[in-house]
Amino acid sequence: MPVDRLLPTAEARDLVALTRDVADKVLDPIVDEHERQETYPEGVFATLGEAGLLSLPYPEEWGGGGQPYEVYLQVLEELASRWAAVAVAVSVHSLACHPVMAFGTDQQKQDHLPGMLGGAQIGAYSLSEAQAGSDAAALNCKAIATDGGYTVNGSKAWITHGGVADFYNLFARTGEGSKGISCFLVPDGSDGLSFGRPEEKMGLHAIPTTSAHYDNVHVPTERRIGAEGQGLQIAFSALDAGRLGIAAVAVGIAQAALDDSVKYAQERTAFGKKIIDHQGLGFVLADMAAAVDSARATYLDAARRRDAGLSYSRNASVAKLIATDAAMKVTTDAVQVFGGYGYTRDFRVERYMRDAKITQIFEGTNQIQRLVIARSLATA
């Protein structure tokens, strides 16, 4: 059932209503087949772009939607409740637009943001490497300064939309240590850029996740974002916002699992009454609802802090931790509610459980979130 949302303006309410309509008419009818067949949903992101749903938290002057993060995240949750893989890709696209918006020159913004935010392009984020996941300072991919730019050699891993995206935020080593990382904007089709076979994942089957390989790829100087050596600052500033995106996606998955579980419990009977009327199961559903509502409250709190210009790094980690752990618990309980049927692919709760797991891992594992939170307490 639709979530009764507290939204700040009539425009925001209309936007969420539009999102629900698009999700119901465009995403919901095709999600099961694409996820089962592991096929890319051609045309879906163009439709979302035409609806203005790929650029909501960015300024209107650059082609964005001019919406507060509080609203953008609730739109993302609506998408995730129908199709988590698509919602993750939208979140990653927003993450990929952040470096140019926050650290780009006026010329770079003029050159790149209209395409990024206008819905014509989809972006990807290339930070992790095979041996440098949570430890971003340990990157090995190198960008060596040459005449007019940089020559990039090395590999990146775990790229959502890898091989399909139109542009890639690349973080590569230009010096030594944690201050030797720089950020680049690499267009798809660059000579020497290739991609590995899509990973065979537990979930999020319709959107490819790949490695990327740079073999003497030339990147012009004007495509370096920020100062040389500023890469980790750029990456981490983007990740705070990205963690909120994943928190919203996790809540969308959990909400879908709760909705399906309640519907099933109202239809299935055992021992002469609906199973929702058995106290044992009713309490399970009540705990699921409490977890979903609590998780939503944490991401909205962090988003409102961001919108107010307040520090929100710790709050983003709290939201990501709470929401993704809740999604894993709620989806596991949903499978239990369905019993043996929940363990089959005849019902979506099986997919929700698989999709929920990755939310505890990417944009910083939940162990990393605890580390961020603990460090914030130690330095308070």
Side-chain angles (χ1 to χ4, degrees):
M1 58 184 176
V3 176
D4 187 14
R5 299 186 181 280
L6 289 173
L7 293 160
T9 64
E11 180 185 11
R13 290 190 289 274
D14 289 343
L15 179 59
V16 169
L18 169 65
T19 304
R20 285 177 177 166
D21 188 57
V22 170
D24 287 339
K25 293 179 180 178
V26 177
L27 304 185
D28 195 70
I30 64 174
V31 55
D32 294 325
E33 184 64 18
H34 278 289
E35 286 293 321
R36 186 177 297 111
Q37 299 296 329
E38 302 189 19
T39 51
Y40 186 72
E42 296 287 352
V44 161
F45 292 97
T47 300
L48 296 179
E50 290 170 4
L53 301 181
L54 294 181
S55 59
L56 291 176
Y58 290 99
E60 291 179 290
E61 65 178 297
W62 297 111
Q67 292 297 317
Y69 235 68
E70 172 188 0
V71 174
Y72 159 65
L73 292 180
Q74 293 188 75
V75 166
L76 203 58
E77 182 191 329
E78 288 286 345
L79 295 176
S81 69
R82 310 312 195 283
W83 198 342
V86 167
V88 166
V90 171
S91 178
V92 170
H93 171 72
S94 181
L95 181 71
C97 295
H98 175 87
V100 174
M101 185 70 250
F103 295 90
T105 65
D106 287 344
Q107 187 62 53
Q108 287 173 328
K109 292 176 183 178
Q110 292 172 17
D111 290 344
H112 302 300
L113 284 179
M116 291 177 170
L117 302 179
Q121 300 178 7
I122 194 79
Y125 201 72
S126 304
L127 176 61
S128 295
E129 296 180 5
Q131 303 302 320
S134 297
D135 185 6
L139 300 181
N140 285 318
C141 184
K142 292 183 178 181
I144 305 299
T146 58
D147 290 341
Y150 297 80
T151 299
V152 182
N153 283 283
S155 296
K156 309 299 287 188
W158 310 117
I159 302 171
T160 298
H161 248 134
V164 180
D166 299 291
F167 65 91
Y168 298 85
N169 278 131
L170 168 69
F171 295 88
R173 182 164 296 286
T174 52
E176 300 299 322
S178 61
K179 294 184 178 180
I181 307 296
S182 299
C183 177
F184 302 91
L185 187 66
V186 180
D188 181 44
S190 296
D191 288 342
L193 174 60
S194 62
F195 298 90
R197 182 171 59 87
E199 302 290 346
E200 296 181 359
K201 300 174 293 185
M202 179 185 293
L204 307 183
H205 288 158
I207 304 298
T209 299
T210 71
S211 57
H213 307 290
Y214 290 80
D215 183 10
N216 290 322
V217 176
H218 176 71
V219 181
T221 302
E222 58 267 23
R223 280 186 169 269
R224 189 192 69 220
I225 308 301
E228 192 169 289
Q230 199 178 10
L232 284 189
Q233 178 190 349
I234 296 172
F236 292 156
S237 71
L239 284 175
D240 282 340
R243 285 165 180 163
L244 291 184
I246 296 307
V249 169
V251 173
I253 297 170
Q255 182 68 57
L258 172 62
D259 291 344
D260 286 8
S261 297
V262 170
K263 184 175 183 292
Y264 183 78
Q266 289 173 327
E267 296 171 348
R268 181 69 184 264
T269 60
F271 305 105
K273 58 182 178 181
K274 297 176 181 178
I275 62 174
I276 197 171
D277 294 327
H278 291 278
Q279 187 180 72
L281 186 62
F283 281 7
V284 170
L285 294 170
D287 285 344
M288 292 167 67
V292 173
D293 289 352
S294 299
R296 182 178 295 114
T298 62
Y299 87 61
L300 287 175
D301 173 70
R304 288 163 183 160
R305 291 181 63 87
R306 185 187 191 279
D307 291 335
L310 301 174
S311 173
Y312 73 101
S313 181
R314 176 178 127 188
N315 306 81
S317 287
V318 168
K320 200 269 186 184
L321 171 65
I322 295 299
T324 61
D325 280 356
M328 196 68 245
K329 177 65 164 61
V330 168
T331 56
T332 302
D333 286 344
V335 170
Q336 193 74 15
V337 169
F338 277 72
Y341 290 114
Y343 200 65
T344 72
R345 294 191 177 184
D346 292 336
F347 293 89
R348 290 179 173 181
V349 291
E350 177 267 347
R351 169 162 54 85
Y352 299 151
M353 183 177 173
R354 289 186 288 104
D355 287 347
K357 183 57 198 173
I358 189 58
T359 66
Q360 294 180 303
I361 297 172
F362 54 18
E363 309 293 18
T365 67
N366 282 5
Q367 287 69 35
I368 292 296
Q369 306 313 316
R370 289 178 170 89
L371 180 62
V372 171
I373 296 165
R375 284 178 175 173
S376 76
L377 297 175
T379 58

